[in-house]
Amino acid sequence: MRLRIRIVALLLAASLLASAKTETLQELIAREEAAKVEDRPALCTEIAERQLKAADELYTAGKEDEAQAAVKDVVTYSEKAHDAAIQSGKKLKNTEIDFRKMAAKLRDIKRSLNFDDQAPVQAAADRLESLRTDLLSHMFGKGK
Amino acid sequence: MSTSGRFARLAFAMLLLSTAWAQRRRDPLNSLEEDQLRDAAQDPAERLKLYIVFARTRLTSLEQMRADPKVTDRAQQTRDRLQNFLDVYDELNDNLDTFVERKADIRKPLKAVIEADTEFQAKLRALKSSVDANKDGSKQYDFLLTNVLDAVDGGVQDHRQLLNEQEEAAKHKKK
């Protein structure tokens, strides 16, 4: 009997893990919209990171307009993550580190683009840096 | 107002705007370094080698600045140079991720990255010890220094693990 319960529990855990891995962007966005404020920084950051990866792939595929829309999403969801982190006072450090890494990725993407396409990507990197600086100010009490 | 007067005002406004944009724009690399990276776009080994050089240059400049007795805003300059190093180090890691995703064989450059990690770690730990010993003005960059050390410590582990994975994958390919 115990063995059966263990097997069922393992199967359940495996299916949960599999569903988490295959969660689409739309599902993730829906989850974020329904989430508690303290869970939003991580969810919004995950959405931003996914869109950043998508932007990179779209630029590589020569789909500049779609790539720019994805970059815009990166900024939008980073702003949401920033606001939720400040509102809840949770995940400030993790969010700050994630912003730092995303800004680095954006700068790296920018370097691979034609001069005409660089400005919005640089602007997004700058915006993330500014959000990051603001989080740091809150972490040290200046922004309270 | 004459046409030439209007043109001069417009040109001045554009100059102000471009200066403001340039000041706001934050990029740890200069245009020469960007050109070098662009030339090495298709060569992971060359690209990673460049990032190691860029990161090392940032740490050397930090050491030189701290050894210079004429420097007055040491804390601020330490902070700026540490941030520059971290930005370059983040980009190095980002490039590693990209090459791994592309399933590139980066065993050789990875060994160079790991050697550089050890060098960076030693230099940063020496800086941390010196800062801990003389607390003068270190409040401005204490947190950042801890973050930089965390990033490099994490990098050392990740890069070694990645090298092991790549060695393992290469063994299986040979079989």
Side-chain angles (χ1 to χ4, degrees), chain B residues 73-102:
Chain B
D73 54 346
R74 197 175 303 268
Q76 182 60 44
Q77 286 214 40
T78 301
R79 200 195 171 288
D80 292 347
R81 283 161 208 239
L82 273 174
Q83 186 61 59
N84 255 332
F85 168 80
L86 184 59
D87 287 343
V88 173
Y89 194 75
D90 278 342
E91 285 194 32
L92 187 154
N93 281 324
D94 176 56
N95 272 261
L96 278 173
D97 290 344
T98 306
F99 297 136
V100 170
E101 270 176 34
R102 286 184 200 160

Side-chain angles (χ1 to χ4, degrees), chain A residues 69-92:
Chain A
V71 168
K72 216 173 153 189
D73 283 347
V74 173
V75 174
T76 305
Y77 280 95
S78 297
E79 284 170 345
K80 281 188 165 196
H82 162 273
D83 294 350
I86 286 175
Q87 203 186 332
S88 64
K90 309 260 176 183
K91 305 272 180 199
L92 284 162

